[in-house]
Short mmCIF file of all heavy atoms in Angstrom, two decimals:
data_model
loop_
_atom_site.label_atom_id
_atom_site.label_comp_id
_atom_site.label_asym_id
_atom_site.label_seq_id
_atom_site.Cartn_x
_atom_site.Cartn_y
_atom_site.Cartn_z
N MET A 4 31.53 126.12 49.34
CA MET A 4 32.93 126.26 49.05
C MET A 4 33.28 127.75 49.09
O MET A 4 32.63 128.57 48.47
CB MET A 4 33.19 125.70 47.64
CG MET A 4 34.61 125.78 47.21
SD MET A 4 34.93 125.08 45.58
CE MET A 4 34.44 123.40 45.81
N LYS A 5 34.31 128.08 49.84
CA LYS A 5 34.75 129.46 49.92
C LYS A 5 35.58 129.80 48.69
O LYS A 5 36.24 128.93 48.10
CB LYS A 5 35.60 129.67 51.18
CG LYS A 5 34.85 129.50 52.47
CD LYS A 5 35.75 129.78 53.63
CE LYS A 5 35.00 129.57 54.93
NZ LYS A 5 35.85 129.84 56.09
N ASN A 6 35.55 131.08 48.31
CA ASN A 6 36.35 131.48 47.15
C ASN A 6 36.71 132.96 47.25
O ASN A 6 36.15 133.70 48.05
CB ASN A 6 35.62 131.16 45.86
CG ASN A 6 34.39 132.00 45.66
OD1 ASN A 6 34.47 133.19 45.38
ND2 ASN A 6 33.21 131.39 45.81
N HIS A 7 37.67 133.34 46.43
CA HIS A 7 38.15 134.72 46.37
C HIS A 7 37.71 135.40 45.08
O HIS A 7 38.30 136.40 44.67
CB HIS A 7 39.68 134.75 46.42
CG HIS A 7 40.25 134.09 47.63
ND1 HIS A 7 40.16 134.66 48.89
CD2 HIS A 7 40.89 132.93 47.81
CE1 HIS A 7 40.72 133.87 49.76
NE2 HIS A 7 41.17 132.80 49.15
N LEU A 8 36.69 134.88 44.46
CA LEU A 8 36.29 135.35 43.14
C LEU A 8 35.88 136.82 43.16
O LEU A 8 36.30 137.60 42.29
CB LEU A 8 35.17 134.49 42.60
CG LEU A 8 34.82 134.66 41.13
CD1 LEU A 8 36.05 134.44 40.25
CD2 LEU A 8 33.72 133.70 40.74
N LYS A 9 35.10 137.24 44.13
CA LYS A 9 34.63 138.62 44.19
C LYS A 9 35.82 139.58 44.28
O LYS A 9 35.88 140.60 43.60
CB LYS A 9 33.69 138.82 45.36
CG LYS A 9 33.10 140.20 45.43
CD LYS A 9 32.08 140.32 46.55
CE LYS A 9 31.47 141.70 46.59
NZ LYS A 9 30.44 141.79 47.64
N ASP A 10 36.77 139.25 45.14
CA ASP A 10 37.96 140.09 45.33
C ASP A 10 38.81 140.13 44.06
O ASP A 10 39.27 141.20 43.65
CB ASP A 10 38.79 139.59 46.53
CG ASP A 10 39.98 140.45 46.80
OD1 ASP A 10 39.82 141.68 46.92
OD2 ASP A 10 41.11 139.89 46.91
N LEU A 11 39.01 138.99 43.44
CA LEU A 11 39.81 138.94 42.20
C LEU A 11 39.14 139.76 41.11
O LEU A 11 39.81 140.50 40.37
CB LEU A 11 39.97 137.49 41.75
CG LEU A 11 40.82 136.59 42.64
CD1 LEU A 11 40.67 135.13 42.21
CD2 LEU A 11 42.28 137.02 42.58
N ARG A 12 37.85 139.64 41.01
CA ARG A 12 37.10 140.38 40.00
C ARG A 12 37.19 141.88 40.27
O ARG A 12 37.45 142.68 39.35
CB ARG A 12 35.64 139.92 40.01
CG ARG A 12 34.73 140.69 39.08
CD ARG A 12 33.29 140.20 39.16
NE ARG A 12 32.70 140.25 40.48
CZ ARG A 12 32.27 141.37 41.06
NH1 ARG A 12 32.38 142.54 40.46
NH2 ARG A 12 31.70 141.34 42.26
N ALA A 13 37.00 142.28 41.52
CA ALA A 13 37.02 143.69 41.89
C ALA A 13 38.39 144.31 41.64
O ALA A 13 38.49 145.47 41.21
CB ALA A 13 36.63 143.85 43.35
N ARG A 14 39.45 143.55 41.89
CA ARG A 14 40.81 144.07 41.67
C ARG A 14 41.05 144.44 40.20
O ARG A 14 41.88 145.30 39.92
CB ARG A 14 41.86 143.05 42.09
CG ARG A 14 42.08 143.00 43.56
CD ARG A 14 43.33 142.19 43.86
NE ARG A 14 43.01 141.20 44.89
CZ ARG A 14 43.73 140.12 45.13
NH1 ARG A 14 44.79 139.85 44.41
NH2 ARG A 14 43.38 139.31 46.09
N ARG A 15 40.34 143.78 39.33
CA ARG A 15 40.47 144.07 37.89
C ARG A 15 39.47 145.12 37.41
O ARG A 15 39.48 145.49 36.25
CB ARG A 15 40.32 142.77 37.10
CG ARG A 15 41.58 141.91 37.23
CD ARG A 15 41.33 140.50 36.80
NE ARG A 15 42.53 139.70 36.84
CZ ARG A 15 43.08 139.22 37.94
NH1 ARG A 15 42.57 139.49 39.12
NH2 ARG A 15 44.19 138.50 37.90
N GLY A 16 38.60 145.54 38.32
CA GLY A 16 37.62 146.55 37.97
C GLY A 16 36.48 146.00 37.11
O GLY A 16 35.83 146.74 36.39
N TRP A 17 36.27 144.68 37.19
CA TRP A 17 35.25 144.04 36.40
C TRP A 17 33.95 143.95 37.19
O TRP A 17 33.94 143.66 38.38
CB TRP A 17 35.64 142.62 36.02
CG TRP A 17 36.83 142.50 35.13
CD1 TRP A 17 37.43 143.49 34.40
CD2 TRP A 17 37.59 141.31 34.87
NE1 TRP A 17 38.50 143.00 33.71
CE2 TRP A 17 38.62 141.65 33.96
CE3 TRP A 17 37.49 140.02 35.31
CZ2 TRP A 17 39.55 140.73 33.51
CZ3 TRP A 17 38.40 139.08 34.85
CH2 TRP A 17 39.42 139.44 33.95
N SER A 18 32.84 144.14 36.50
CA SER A 18 31.53 143.88 37.10
C SER A 18 31.25 142.37 37.01
O SER A 18 31.97 141.63 36.32
CB SER A 18 30.44 144.64 36.35
OG SER A 18 30.31 144.10 35.03
N GLN A 19 30.22 141.95 37.70
CA GLN A 19 29.82 140.55 37.57
C GLN A 19 29.47 140.24 36.12
O GLN A 19 29.79 139.15 35.63
CB GLN A 19 28.64 140.23 38.48
CG GLN A 19 28.99 140.18 39.93
CD GLN A 19 27.80 139.83 40.81
OE1 GLN A 19 26.66 139.94 40.42
NE2 GLN A 19 28.10 139.39 42.03
N GLN A 20 28.85 141.19 35.44
CA GLN A 20 28.49 140.97 34.04
C GLN A 20 29.74 140.83 33.17
O GLN A 20 29.78 139.99 32.27
CB GLN A 20 27.62 142.13 33.52
CG GLN A 20 27.13 141.93 32.10
CD GLN A 20 26.20 140.73 31.97
OE1 GLN A 20 25.34 140.50 32.81
NE2 GLN A 20 26.37 139.95 30.93
N ASP A 21 30.78 141.64 33.45
CA ASP A 21 32.04 141.53 32.69
C ASP A 21 32.63 140.12 32.81
O ASP A 21 33.02 139.52 31.83
CB ASP A 21 33.07 142.55 33.20
CG ASP A 21 32.70 143.99 32.93
OD1 ASP A 21 31.98 144.26 31.93
OD2 ASP A 21 33.13 144.86 33.72
N LEU A 22 32.69 139.63 34.05
CA LEU A 22 33.23 138.30 34.28
C LEU A 22 32.33 137.24 33.63
O LEU A 22 32.83 136.30 33.01
CB LEU A 22 33.41 138.02 35.76
CG LEU A 22 33.98 136.66 36.11
CD1 LEU A 22 35.33 136.40 35.42
CD2 LEU A 22 34.11 136.52 37.63
N ALA A 23 31.04 137.40 33.77
CA ALA A 23 30.10 136.44 33.18
C ALA A 23 30.32 136.33 31.68
O ALA A 23 30.31 135.22 31.12
CB ALA A 23 28.66 136.85 33.49
N GLU A 24 30.52 137.46 31.01
CA GLU A 24 30.74 137.44 29.56
C GLU A 24 32.04 136.71 29.22
O GLU A 24 32.11 135.95 28.26
CB GLU A 24 30.74 138.85 29.01
CG GLU A 24 29.35 139.47 29.02
CD GLU A 24 29.33 140.94 28.67
OE1 GLU A 24 30.40 141.51 28.33
OE2 GLU A 24 28.25 141.54 28.75
N ARG A 25 33.07 136.93 30.02
CA ARG A 25 34.35 136.24 29.78
C ARG A 25 34.20 134.72 29.97
O ARG A 25 34.88 133.94 29.30
CB ARG A 25 35.42 136.80 30.70
CG ARG A 25 35.92 138.17 30.30
CD ARG A 25 36.89 138.75 31.36
NE ARG A 25 37.56 139.93 30.87
CZ ARG A 25 37.05 141.17 30.91
NH1 ARG A 25 35.84 141.37 31.38
NH2 ARG A 25 37.76 142.19 30.45
N LEU A 26 33.37 134.35 30.93
CA LEU A 26 33.17 132.93 31.23
C LEU A 26 32.07 132.26 30.39
O LEU A 26 31.91 131.05 30.45
CB LEU A 26 32.82 132.75 32.72
CG LEU A 26 33.91 133.10 33.71
CD1 LEU A 26 33.34 133.11 35.13
CD2 LEU A 26 35.07 132.13 33.59
N GLU A 27 31.30 133.11 29.69
CA GLU A 27 30.16 132.62 28.91
C GLU A 27 29.11 131.96 29.79
O GLU A 27 28.59 130.87 29.49
CB GLU A 27 30.61 131.72 27.77
CG GLU A 27 31.54 132.41 26.80
CD GLU A 27 32.04 131.52 25.67
OE1 GLU A 27 31.86 130.29 25.75
OE2 GLU A 27 32.60 132.08 24.72
N VAL A 28 28.82 132.63 30.93
CA VAL A 28 27.76 132.21 31.82
C VAL A 28 26.91 133.44 32.15
O VAL A 28 27.26 134.55 31.75
CB VAL A 28 28.30 131.58 33.14
CG1 VAL A 28 29.14 130.33 32.84
CG2 VAL A 28 29.12 132.58 33.96
N SER A 29 25.84 133.25 32.92
CA SER A 29 25.01 134.39 33.28
C SER A 29 25.63 135.16 34.44
O SER A 29 26.43 134.62 35.23
CB SER A 29 23.61 133.91 33.67
OG SER A 29 23.66 133.20 34.89
N ARG A 30 25.20 136.43 34.59
CA ARG A 30 25.64 137.21 35.73
C ARG A 30 25.15 136.57 37.02
O ARG A 30 25.85 136.58 38.04
CB ARG A 30 25.09 138.65 35.61
CG ARG A 30 25.61 139.55 36.76
CD ARG A 30 24.72 140.76 36.98
NE ARG A 30 23.33 140.42 37.28
CZ ARG A 30 22.89 140.01 38.48
NH1 ARG A 30 23.72 139.85 39.50
NH2 ARG A 30 21.61 139.73 38.65
N GLN A 31 23.97 135.97 36.97
CA GLN A 31 23.43 135.30 38.15
C GLN A 31 24.30 134.13 38.59
O GLN A 31 24.45 133.87 39.79
CB GLN A 31 21.98 134.82 37.88
CG GLN A 31 20.99 135.95 37.75
CD GLN A 31 20.91 136.55 36.33
OE1 GLN A 31 21.70 136.22 35.44
NE2 GLN A 31 19.97 137.45 36.13
N SER A 32 24.90 133.44 37.61
CA SER A 32 25.81 132.34 37.94
C SER A 32 27.04 132.86 38.67
O SER A 32 27.50 132.27 39.65
CB SER A 32 26.23 131.58 36.68
OG SER A 32 25.15 130.93 36.12
N VAL A 33 27.60 133.97 38.19
CA VAL A 33 28.77 134.56 38.84
C VAL A 33 28.40 134.96 40.27
O VAL A 33 29.14 134.68 41.22
CB VAL A 33 29.31 135.78 38.04
CG1 VAL A 33 30.36 136.54 38.85
CG2 VAL A 33 29.87 135.33 36.71
N ASN A 34 27.24 135.59 40.45
CA ASN A 34 26.80 136.00 41.78
C ASN A 34 26.66 134.79 42.68
O ASN A 34 27.10 134.82 43.84
CB ASN A 34 25.48 136.76 41.69
CG ASN A 34 24.99 137.20 43.04
OD1 ASN A 34 24.25 136.47 43.71
ND2 ASN A 34 25.41 138.38 43.44
N ALA A 35 26.07 133.72 42.19
CA ALA A 35 25.86 132.51 42.99
C ALA A 35 27.19 131.88 43.40
O ALA A 35 27.33 131.38 44.52
CB ALA A 35 24.99 131.51 42.24
N ILE A 36 28.16 131.87 42.51
CA ILE A 36 29.49 131.34 42.84
C ILE A 36 30.16 132.22 43.89
O ILE A 36 30.70 131.72 44.88
CB ILE A 36 30.37 131.23 41.57
CG1 ILE A 36 29.80 130.20 40.62
CG2 ILE A 36 31.81 130.86 41.95
CD1 ILE A 36 30.41 130.22 39.22
N GLU A 37 30.12 133.54 43.68
CA GLU A 37 30.76 134.46 44.62
C GLU A 37 30.18 134.35 46.04
O GLU A 37 30.91 134.46 47.01
CB GLU A 37 30.60 135.91 44.15
CG GLU A 37 31.48 136.26 42.99
CD GLU A 37 31.39 137.71 42.60
OE1 GLU A 37 30.57 138.47 43.15
OE2 GLU A 37 32.17 138.12 41.72
N THR A 38 28.87 134.13 46.14
CA THR A 38 28.24 134.05 47.46
C THR A 38 28.22 132.66 48.04
O THR A 38 27.70 132.44 49.14
CB THR A 38 26.79 134.59 47.37
OG1 THR A 38 26.05 133.84 46.42
CG2 THR A 38 26.77 136.07 46.99
N GLY A 39 28.79 131.69 47.32
CA GLY A 39 28.89 130.33 47.83
C GLY A 39 27.61 129.53 47.72
O GLY A 39 27.50 128.45 48.29
N ARG A 40 26.63 130.02 46.95
CA ARG A 40 25.38 129.28 46.78
C ARG A 40 25.47 128.26 45.67
O ARG A 40 24.59 127.43 45.50
CB ARG A 40 24.22 130.25 46.49
CG ARG A 40 23.84 131.09 47.69
CD ARG A 40 22.70 132.03 47.39
NE ARG A 40 23.19 133.09 46.49
CZ ARG A 40 22.61 133.45 45.35
NH1 ARG A 40 21.51 132.86 44.94
NH2 ARG A 40 23.12 134.41 44.60
N TYR A 41 26.55 128.31 44.88
CA TYR A 41 26.70 127.40 43.76
C TYR A 41 28.20 127.10 43.60
O TYR A 41 29.02 128.01 43.61
CB TYR A 41 26.18 128.07 42.47
CG TYR A 41 26.47 127.31 41.20
CD1 TYR A 41 25.80 126.16 40.88
CD2 TYR A 41 27.42 127.79 40.30
CE1 TYR A 41 26.07 125.46 39.70
CE2 TYR A 41 27.69 127.10 39.12
CZ TYR A 41 27.01 125.94 38.82
OH TYR A 41 27.29 125.26 37.68
N ASP A 42 28.53 125.82 43.50
CA ASP A 42 29.91 125.40 43.23
C ASP A 42 30.04 125.18 41.72
O ASP A 42 29.25 124.45 41.14
CB ASP A 42 30.24 124.11 43.97
CG ASP A 42 30.29 124.30 45.48
OD1 ASP A 42 30.53 125.45 45.92
OD2 ASP A 42 30.11 123.31 46.19
N PRO A 43 31.02 125.82 41.11
CA PRO A 43 31.16 125.67 39.66
C PRO A 43 31.55 124.26 39.26
O PRO A 43 32.20 123.54 40.05
CB PRO A 43 32.27 126.66 39.31
CG PRO A 43 33.08 126.78 40.56
CD PRO A 43 32.08 126.65 41.68
N SER A 44 31.17 123.88 38.08
CA SER A 44 31.62 122.59 37.52
C SER A 44 33.13 122.65 37.37
O SER A 44 33.74 123.75 37.35
CB SER A 44 30.98 122.36 36.17
OG SER A 44 31.44 123.33 35.23
N LEU A 45 33.75 121.51 37.22
CA LEU A 45 35.21 121.48 37.06
C LEU A 45 35.66 122.24 35.81
O LEU A 45 36.59 123.05 35.88
CB LEU A 45 35.71 120.04 37.06
CG LEU A 45 37.21 119.84 37.27
CD1 LEU A 45 37.72 120.58 38.50
CD2 LEU A 45 37.54 118.37 37.34
N PRO A 46 34.99 122.05 34.65
CA PRO A 46 35.40 122.83 33.48
C PRO A 46 35.27 124.36 33.71
O PRO A 46 36.13 125.13 33.30
CB PRO A 46 34.45 122.36 32.38
CG PRO A 46 34.04 121.00 32.78
CD PRO A 46 33.97 121.05 34.29
N LEU A 47 34.22 124.79 34.39
CA LEU A 47 34.05 126.21 34.68
C LEU A 47 35.11 126.69 35.66
O LEU A 47 35.69 127.78 35.49
CB LEU A 47 32.65 126.50 35.24
CG LEU A 47 32.36 127.96 35.57
CD1 LEU A 47 32.62 128.88 34.39
CD2 LEU A 47 30.91 128.08 36.06
N ALA A 48 35.44 125.89 36.66
CA ALA A 48 36.50 126.25 37.62
C ALA A 48 37.83 126.42 36.88
O ALA A 48 38.59 127.35 37.18
CB ALA A 48 36.60 125.20 38.72
N PHE A 49 38.11 125.54 35.92
CA PHE A 49 39.35 125.67 35.13
C PHE A 49 39.33 126.95 34.31
O PHE A 49 40.36 127.62 34.20
CB PHE A 49 39.55 124.46 34.22
CG PHE A 49 40.26 123.30 34.88
CD1 PHE A 49 39.58 122.14 35.18
CD2 PHE A 49 41.61 123.38 35.18
CE1 PHE A 49 40.23 121.08 35.79
CE2 PHE A 49 42.26 122.34 35.78
CZ PHE A 49 41.58 121.17 36.09
N ARG A 50 38.19 127.32 33.74
CA ARG A 50 38.11 128.57 32.97
C ARG A 50 38.34 129.78 33.86
O ARG A 50 39.02 130.72 33.49
CB ARG A 50 36.75 128.67 32.26
CG ARG A 50 36.64 127.72 31.09
CD ARG A 50 35.65 128.12 30.02
NE ARG A 50 34.42 128.72 30.42
CZ ARG A 50 33.24 128.09 30.55
NH1 ARG A 50 33.17 126.80 30.29
NH2 ARG A 50 32.15 128.73 30.88
N ILE A 51 37.76 129.75 35.06
CA ILE A 51 37.94 130.83 36.01
C ILE A 51 39.43 130.97 36.37
O ILE A 51 39.98 132.06 36.34
CB ILE A 51 37.10 130.61 37.29
CG1 ILE A 51 35.61 130.74 36.94
CG2 ILE A 51 37.49 131.58 38.39
CD1 ILE A 51 34.67 130.26 38.06
N ALA A 52 40.06 129.85 36.67
CA ALA A 52 41.48 129.86 37.01
C ALA A 52 42.32 130.40 35.86
O ALA A 52 43.25 131.19 36.06
CB ALA A 52 41.93 128.47 37.41
N GLU A 53 41.98 130.00 34.65
CA GLU A 53 42.73 130.45 33.48
C GLU A 53 42.59 131.96 33.28
O GLU A 53 43.57 132.65 33.02
CB GLU A 53 42.24 129.71 32.23
CG GLU A 53 42.99 130.07 30.98
CD GLU A 53 42.51 129.31 29.76
OE1 GLU A 53 41.76 128.34 29.90
OE2 GLU A 53 42.88 129.72 28.65
N ILE A 54 41.37 132.47 33.43
CA ILE A 54 41.14 133.90 33.26
C ILE A 54 41.97 134.71 34.24
O ILE A 54 42.51 135.77 33.90
CB ILE A 54 39.63 134.21 33.39
CG1 ILE A 54 38.92 133.81 32.11
CG2 ILE A 54 39.39 135.70 33.71
CD1 ILE A 54 37.43 133.94 32.17
N PHE A 55 42.09 134.23 35.47
CA PHE A 55 42.84 134.97 36.51
C PHE A 55 44.30 134.57 36.58
O PHE A 55 45.06 135.12 37.37
CB PHE A 55 42.16 134.81 37.84
CG PHE A 55 40.85 135.54 37.94
CD1 PHE A 55 39.64 134.86 37.90
CD2 PHE A 55 40.82 136.92 38.02
CE1 PHE A 55 38.43 135.55 37.93
CE2 PHE A 55 39.62 137.62 38.07
CZ PHE A 55 38.43 136.92 38.02
N GLY A 56 44.72 133.59 35.77
CA GLY A 56 46.12 133.16 35.77
C GLY A 56 46.53 132.55 37.10
O GLY A 56 47.65 132.76 37.57
N MET A 57 45.62 131.79 37.70
CA MET A 57 45.87 131.19 39.00
C MET A 57 45.51 129.70 38.97
O MET A 57 44.89 129.22 38.04
CB MET A 57 45.03 131.88 40.07
CG MET A 57 45.32 133.36 40.22
SD MET A 57 44.21 134.17 41.39
CE MET A 57 44.82 133.50 42.94
N ARG A 58 45.90 129.01 40.04
CA ARG A 58 45.48 127.62 40.20
C ARG A 58 44.09 127.61 40.82
O ARG A 58 43.73 128.49 41.60
CB ARG A 58 46.43 126.87 41.13
CG ARG A 58 47.85 126.78 40.60
CD ARG A 58 48.77 126.03 41.54
NE ARG A 58 48.56 126.42 42.92
CZ ARG A 58 48.74 125.62 43.97
NH1 ARG A 58 49.19 124.42 43.81
NH2 ARG A 58 48.53 126.06 45.20
N ILE A 59 43.32 126.59 40.50
CA ILE A 59 41.99 126.45 41.09
C ILE A 59 42.08 126.47 42.62
O ILE A 59 41.27 127.12 43.28
CB ILE A 59 41.33 125.13 40.63
CG1 ILE A 59 40.99 125.22 39.13
CG2 ILE A 59 40.07 124.83 41.43
CD1 ILE A 59 40.46 123.94 38.53
N GLU A 60 43.08 125.79 43.17
CA GLU A 60 43.23 125.71 44.61
C GLU A 60 43.47 127.06 45.26
O GLU A 60 43.22 127.23 46.46
CB GLU A 60 44.40 124.77 44.98
CG GLU A 60 44.22 123.35 44.50
CD GLU A 60 44.67 123.12 43.06
OE1 GLU A 60 45.17 124.07 42.42
OE2 GLU A 60 44.50 122.00 42.58
N ASP A 61 43.99 128.02 44.48
CA ASP A 61 44.24 129.35 45.03
C ASP A 61 43.00 130.24 45.00
O ASP A 61 42.98 131.30 45.62
CB ASP A 61 45.38 130.02 44.27
CG ASP A 61 46.70 129.31 44.47
OD1 ASP A 61 46.87 128.67 45.53
OD2 ASP A 61 47.55 129.38 43.57
N ILE A 62 41.98 129.82 44.28
CA ILE A 62 40.73 130.58 44.18
C ILE A 62 39.65 129.99 45.06
O ILE A 62 38.92 130.69 45.73
CB ILE A 62 40.25 130.66 42.73
CG1 ILE A 62 41.31 131.35 41.83
CG2 ILE A 62 38.91 131.40 42.63
CD1 ILE A 62 41.00 131.31 40.35
N PHE A 63 39.57 128.64 45.07
CA PHE A 63 38.50 127.96 45.80
C PHE A 63 39.08 127.11 46.93
O PHE A 63 40.07 126.42 46.74
CB PHE A 63 37.74 127.02 44.85
CG PHE A 63 37.08 127.75 43.71
CD1 PHE A 63 37.71 127.86 42.50
CD2 PHE A 63 35.82 128.34 43.88
CE1 PHE A 63 37.10 128.54 41.44
CE2 PHE A 63 35.21 129.01 42.84
CZ PHE A 63 35.85 129.10 41.60
N GLN A 64 38.43 127.15 48.09
CA GLN A 64 38.83 126.32 49.23
C GLN A 64 37.61 125.65 49.80
O GLN A 64 36.53 126.24 49.84
CB GLN A 64 39.47 127.15 50.35
CG GLN A 64 40.78 127.79 49.99
CD GLN A 64 40.59 129.18 49.42
OE1 GLN A 64 39.67 129.88 49.78
NE2 GLN A 64 41.44 129.56 48.49
N LYS A 65 37.79 124.43 50.29
CA LYS A 65 36.69 123.73 50.95
C LYS A 65 36.40 124.42 52.28
O LYS A 65 37.28 124.98 52.92
CB LYS A 65 37.07 122.29 51.24
CG LYS A 65 36.86 121.37 50.08
CD LYS A 65 37.03 119.96 50.54
CE LYS A 65 36.33 119.05 49.57
NZ LYS A 65 36.37 117.66 50.04
N GLY A 66 35.13 124.29 52.68
CA GLY A 66 34.73 124.79 54.02
C GLY A 66 34.40 126.18 53.97
O GLY A 66 34.01 126.99 54.59
#
């Protein structure tokens, strides 16, 4: 699944660790999501969307 997570995080000046702490996940999980090696669970996707004030569909795209 493609996503804009890395760009959104960078625009806020957050490290992967900063975002991981906000999401209550590991930095490795954030890295795996950003690189497309891991698709977040629906509850985690909702938390990500909430943190960035966006819709899930605007952050994650199929393909």
Side-chain angles (χ1 to χ4, degrees):
M4 180 178 300
K5 294 182 182 180
N6 67 73
H7 302 288
L8 192 56
K9 184 176 182 178
D10 183 51
L11 292 169
R12 175 181 58 75
R14 281 192 230 161
R15 285 164 176 77
W17 295 346
S18 67
Q19 288 182 341
Q20 185 64 42
D21 293 331
L22 180 55
E24 289 171 5
R25 286 173 169 83
L26 293 171
E27 300 179 347
V28 299
S29 69
R30 184 201 58 79
Q31 291 85 353
S32 294
V33 170
N34 180 270
I36 294 168
E37 286 184 355
T38 58
R40 290 180 289 129
Y41 172 73
D42 292 336
S44 65
L45 195 52
L47 180 54
F49 273 110
R50 287 204 322 261
I51 292 168
E53 183 179 347
I54 283 174
F55 290 105
M57 300 175 71
R58 298 180 317 150
I59 291 174
E60 298 85 2
D61 294 332
I62 300 173
F63 299 96
Q64 295 90 32
K65 277 189 158 185

